[in-house]
């Protein structure tokens, strides 16, 4: 018999089907056993009756335990009282793989224990839902960019240079030379957009973040579009359209998963254009007016971001951060050169920065000076300077953190649950 997936069960009402999966939970009431089977696409209740099942099948069912791998056969019965509206009346049960003392039971476990057992924890309902949303968000990201004519242009992970400051670099020995794990694929998108007009990379990036917060991973995924001849105002529009598309897609395709997560959908439905834009100077003033201990010129901390988004039901775009706290490649604001043509998108509901981007410095001389000022090794950037030597052009781009975006859409507290196997300062396993 061919396998039927639980997600397709409605089409098989009244038929006898074969399901393959794992025992999620079970209970017995004397002559009836209720098995909850999960197969990755869903969970369904299966009923085994002592009276109707062959003796061998009933006997086999006596050894069932949580997460036993099973092949089950039975008739699909539509029943509104059953969870999901269907249940299976079993005629056959075959144990494929036993499961002895499965460590994650349905009772509460501590965070450290669950993270140590991440390889099993992903079978649990909520974790499963978050990672399914992640899958849809990834697809939405690619659909949006591909449909707008962007070319997927992969950036290397082993790199000779830093892009986002030298304090969070993971250094490795590359055949006797220093190399670094990529903090961002941006520097490689810039020559990419000179070749293709619009490009993006989407891959893992690495930062040796020593701070333990609920928003920082040391390995996270970032999508980075870069567009030739685009300037800051259009970049903000691109970011806005991008986020609206992704959130809409999640509302469209992830409702069952968001329900499992008990996510309030109303705030997500309010994520619509236009997002408020706030000049850094105005954001700074707002923070001081609210009485926060914020020093003008500094970057925002989590409480600052929360205060900035507090009055808004949609993401807020803060633009023109001080050049001194931003990366070397950002173009200064012609109106006030101590500021940069940069922008961050801050998600509401306390999630904070999900996007960081800027218009890039396109003047060779200025960029050479910046590299010098930031004490970066000039040789490692010669190729990057070539983009300014041979037909320089205004261009802009941003990076969106996948896990922060997924955390926000799912409404989960900690970013570590938005990636299959999180890496943080004190966690390198499993
Ligand atoms: O603001 P960031 O540092 O920007 C860049 O790396 C640019 N080069 C991107 C570009 O213009 N192409 O990082 C971009 C985003 C942040 O807004 C955040 O969502 C995410 O990456 N991010 C992290 N996510 C999880 N853990 C961390 N440690 C993160 N650091 C940044
Ligand atoms: Mg940033």
């Amino acid at each position: 018999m061919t396998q039927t997936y639980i997600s397709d069960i409605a089409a098989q009402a009244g038929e006898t089907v074969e399901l393959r999966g794992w025992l999620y939970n079970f209970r017995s009431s004397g002559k009836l056993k209720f098995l909850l089977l999960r197969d990755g696409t869903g969970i369904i209740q299966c009923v085994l009756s002592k009276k109707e099942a062959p003796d061998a099948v009933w006997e086999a069912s006596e050894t069932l335990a949580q997460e036993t791998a099973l092949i089950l056969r039975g008739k699909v019965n539509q029943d509104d009282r059953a969870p999901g509206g269907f249940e299976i009346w079993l005629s056959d049960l075959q144990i494929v793989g036993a499961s002895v003392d499965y460590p994650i039971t349905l009772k509460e476990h501590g965070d450290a224990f669950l993270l140590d057992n991440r390889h099993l924890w992903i079978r649990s309902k909520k974790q499963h839902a978050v990672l399914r949303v992640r899958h849809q968000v990834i697809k939405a990201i690619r659909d949006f960019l591909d449909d707008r004519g962007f070319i997927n242009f992969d950036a290397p992970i082993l790199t000779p240079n830093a892009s986002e400051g030298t304090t969070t670099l993971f250094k490795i020995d590359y055949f006797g030379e220093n190399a670094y794990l990529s903090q961002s694929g941006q520097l490689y998108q810039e020559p990419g957009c000179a070749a293709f007009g619009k490009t993006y990379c989407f891959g893992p990036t690495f930062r040796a973040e020593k701070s333990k917060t609920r928003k920082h991973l040391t390995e996270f995924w970032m999508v980075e579009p870069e567009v030739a001849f685009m300037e800051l105002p259009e970049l903000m529009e691109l970011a806005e359209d991008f986020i609206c598309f992704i959130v809409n897609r999640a509302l469209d395709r992830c409702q069952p998963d968001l329900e499992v997560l008990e996510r309030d959908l109303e705030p997500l439905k309010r994520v619509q254009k236009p997002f408020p834009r706030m000049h850094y100077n105005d954001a700074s003033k707002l923070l001081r007016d609210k009485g926060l201990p914020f020093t003008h010129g500094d970057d925002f901390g989590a409480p600052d971001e929360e205060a900035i988004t507090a009055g808004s039901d949609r993401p807020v775009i803060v633009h023109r951060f001080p050049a001194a706290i931003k990366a070397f490649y950002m173009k200064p604001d012609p109106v006030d050169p101590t500021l940069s043509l940069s922008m961050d998108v801050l998600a509401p509901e306390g999630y904070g920065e999900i996007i960081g981007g800027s218009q890039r410095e396109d003047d060779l001389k200025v960029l050479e000076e910046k590299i010098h000022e930031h004490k970066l090794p000039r040789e490692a950037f010669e190729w990057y300077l070539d983009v300014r030597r041979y037909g320089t052009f205004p261009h802009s781009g941003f990076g969106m953190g996948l896990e922060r975006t997924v955390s926000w859409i799912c409404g989960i507290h900690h970013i570590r649950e938005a990636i299959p196997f999180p890496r943080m300062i004190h966690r390198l396993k499993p």
Side-chain angles (χ1 to χ4, degrees), residues 148-178:
R148 288 199 172 204
F150 282 74
I151 296 286
N152 181 168
F153 183 74
D154 297 315
I157 285 171
L158 294 170
T159 62
N161 38 250
S163 62
E164 302 305 313
T166 48
T167 54
T168 62
L169 278 176
F170 276 116
K171 189 164 139 186
I172 54 167
D173 172 51
Y174 191 75
F175 306 111
E177 265 184 65
N178 284 339

Side-chain angles (χ1 to χ4, degrees), residues 410-430:
C410 289
I412 56 176
H413 178 70
H414 202 299
I415 191 172
R416 66 190 170 205
E417 294 176 25
I419 187 165
F421 295 99
R423 297 289 175 252
M424 293 167 289
I425 180 164
H426 297 304
R427 178 154 304 274
L428 190 57
K429 64 169 196 187

Side-chain angles (χ1 to χ4, degrees), residues 163-164 183-187 189 201 205-207 209 215-226 235 326-327 329-330 343-345 352-358 360 396-405 415:
S163 62
E164 302 305 313
Q183 297 166 302
S184 156
Q186 178 202 319
L187 301 191
Q189 294 314 297
C201 58
T205 43
F206 305 86
R207 297 201 190 170
E209 305 274 6
K215 294 179 184 170
H216 289 88
L217 296 166
T218 53
E219 176 176 329
F220 62 97
W221 282 61
M222 180 156 51
V223 54
E224 298 181 83
E226 189 79 24
L235 185 71
K326 288 289 183 184
Y329 52 71
M330 293 186 181
M343 60 113 191
D344 275 8
V345 182
E353 180 192 340
I354 54 171
I355 280 184
S358 71
R360 320 307 189 185
S396 304
F398 63 74
M400 185 181 83
L402 175 64
E403 291 76 14
R404 288 197 191 169
T405 306
I415 191 172

